[in-house]
Amino acid sequence: MGGPGDPPEGTPEGGPVGGEDEYRSVVFDESFVRAARLQESSARERMTDHAPAVRRRPPLRRGLTRQALILVVLILVAFGTAIYMGVRHPYGTDEAQQPAEPLRMTVIPLSPQGRVPGAADAETLFAHSPAAQYEVGAEGIPLPAARSTAHFSDSQVVTALTTAKDYLVRSSLYPEVLDSSEVRPARALLDPGQLDQFDQSVDHPAADGRHAPTGWLVRFDPTRAELADPRIRVQGNLTATETDPATLEVTADHTIVYALRPTGAPAGAQASLFTVRRQLTFRFDRDDLRLHQTQLVVSYVQAGPLSCAEDAADHLHPLLAGQTAKAGGPAGTNPFATDSATALCGTLSTAAEPKV
């Protein structure tokens, strides 16, 4: 007689020894049942009309695996690091940006040896002067061919040259700068580290080699002279060099010739020429290139005809047609020549004046 768990006929032939169920090794635990996609409806549910015998279970919400979480965290960290490094070093360099260097400036007045030549027609003056072949305005400040350096690309060199040219145009050719009514066009191109020095120069001018507005700008005494011809003549050149892996330097050497007449004079009044030679050194770090700004670090200016007795730090006080200045100073200095003056006050060479 079989046991209480055995079939009435006994264990079937070929069945497992000891009556062990051949499906007992398959374990349907609670997690297996919950994971099933189909679920049998309960008896109460099957009594409802048109109720299906089985229904599809909604998919289980599974969280991210540990490996997926780690991968997501690593991606976020890498992305955040890339953004941070891009903000800190937008050009992929490790060099620290140096503070802006103060501008060192020298302004040399050039005194005429006799009466200042004049003519009613400014074109006549230009035609009989060394500026006869000069270009007009910004055309006289051409950009040289730009070549990459060891640590700066072609486009960065072009940016440096273009910014230097923009500063020259805004500080030498803008009418509102020349008549001393504005300084902002040039100021807007300066590195923020030089703005305090610039503002102090304009607000409290001094002939100390650091705070002369005429070291930053060309501007005339508005009570004395105004433009007789808006077509200013310019000639010069720009040169870009790399001074170290973090710095580009642009040197500018330009001679600028203005036709002036007394302020408020009628159109037919005699005009005279006024010459300014500006030798400027601009410096650019990578932030300056990115922001289209510059550091003006050296300004060497020769200007005349001026009287050496008058202060040229705040404004240039031109001597106009027919006026004279007291003789004095060293031998004549020609701003059209390539040699540099070394005196604090010079004599304007007659070779620099129009022959009229």
Side-chain angles (χ1 to χ4, degrees):
M1 184 173 181
D6 296 330
E9 296 81 4
T11 301
E13 184 177 354
V17 179
E20 186 175 329
D21 188 353
E22 63 177 321
Y23 298 105
R24 189 169 294 175
S25 60
V26 181
V27 179
F28 297 97
D29 58 9
E30 184 177 356
S31 63
F32 181 86
V33 174
R34 288 184 177 178
R37 301 297 301 274
L38 299 178
Q39 182 181 26
E40 184 179 5
S41 301
S42 65
R44 183 181 298 275
E45 291 171 336
R46 288 198 297 271
M47 292 174 63
T48 306
D49 291 340
H50 309 295
V54 295
R55 65 176 181 271
R56 184 173 295 276
R57 296 170 61 96
L60 292 176
R61 294 182 179 177
R62 297 181 178 273
L64 292 174
T65 65
R66 182 185 300 272
Q67 292 85 350
L69 283 172
I70 293 175
L71 180 60
V72 170
V73 170
L74 290 175
I75 291 174
L76 290 175
V77 170
F79 187 66
T81 301
I83 293 177
Y84 174 77
M85 293 302 292
V87 172
R88 292 274 296 181
H89 307 284
Y91 291 93
T93 181
D94 294 329
E95 296 95 350
Q97 303 298 337
Q98 299 297 321
E101 180 180 330
L103 170 62
R104 294 172 285 119
M105 61 185 72
T106 304
V107 180
I108 309 293
L110 301 179
S111 177
Q113 299 183 44
R115 291 185 180 276
V116 176
D121 181 14
E123 284 292 340
T124 300
L125 289 172
F126 283 122
H128 292 83
S129 79
Q133 303 302 318
Y134 284 14
E135 299 288 346
V136 175
E139 295 298 320
I141 313 175
L143 295 180
R147 294 181 176 86
S148 62
T149 65
H151 299 91
F152 293 90
S153 66
D154 290 349
S155 62
Q156 289 174 314
V157 175
V158 169
T159 297
L161 291 167
T162 302
T163 305
K165 175 177 178 175
D166 288 346
Y167 186 89
L168 283 164
V169 170
R170 295 187 186 193
S171 64
S172 306
L173 304 179
Y174 273 26
E176 63 269 32
V177 172
L178 297 176
D179 67 12
S180 302
S181 61
E182 272 290 357
V183 298
R184 289 179 294 179
R187 185 185 187 276
L189 291 177
L190 291 175
D191 184 287
Q194 289 191 314
L195 294 181
D196 286 344
Q197 183 187 8
F198 180 90
D199 292 340
Q200 187 175 351
S201 301
V202 174
D203 297 336
H204 306 286
D208 59 0
R210 289 289 188 273
H211 301 98
T214 49
W216 300 94
L217 314 161
V218 176
R219 64 179 196 165
F220 302 114
D221 180 353
T223 67
R224 178 173 296 187
E226 64 183 17
L227 289 176
D229 188 338
R231 294 167 297 177
I232 301 166
R233 293 347 192 234
V234 185
Q235 180 171 285
N237 58 78
L238 295 166
T239 306
T241 57
E242 177 182 316
T243 57
D244 61 58
T247 310
L248 274 177
E249 195 168 273
V250 174
T251 56
D253 187 353
H254 292 82
T255 301
I256 310 162
V257 186
Y258 307 86
L260 302 178
R261 65 187 174 198
T263 300
Q270 278 205 328
S272 59
L273 298 186
F274 188 89
T275 304
V276 178
R277 183 176 177 191
R278 303 183 79 192
Q279 295 168 285
L280 308 179
T281 301
F282 301 91
R283 192 164 293 164
F284 300 84
D285 59 29
R286 297 184 187 277
D287 280 346
D288 292 326
L289 294 172
R290 178 170 56 87
L291 298 173
H292 191 65
Q293 62 191 21
T294 185
Q295 304 169 40
L296 179 58
V297 294
V298 176
S299 174
Y300 191 89
V301 179
Q302 305 169 58
L306 291 171
S307 174
C308 293
E310 293 190 85
D311 184 9
D314 188 9
H315 294 89
L316 300 174
H317 308 279
L319 294 173
L320 303 174
Q323 296 180 336
T324 60
K326 292 182 179 180
T333 299
N334 184 356
F336 291 92
T338 57
D339 59 327
S340 297
T342 57
L344 295 179
C345 183
T347 302
L348 183 66
S349 171
T350 57
E353 297 178 326
K355 303 299 187 292
V356 291

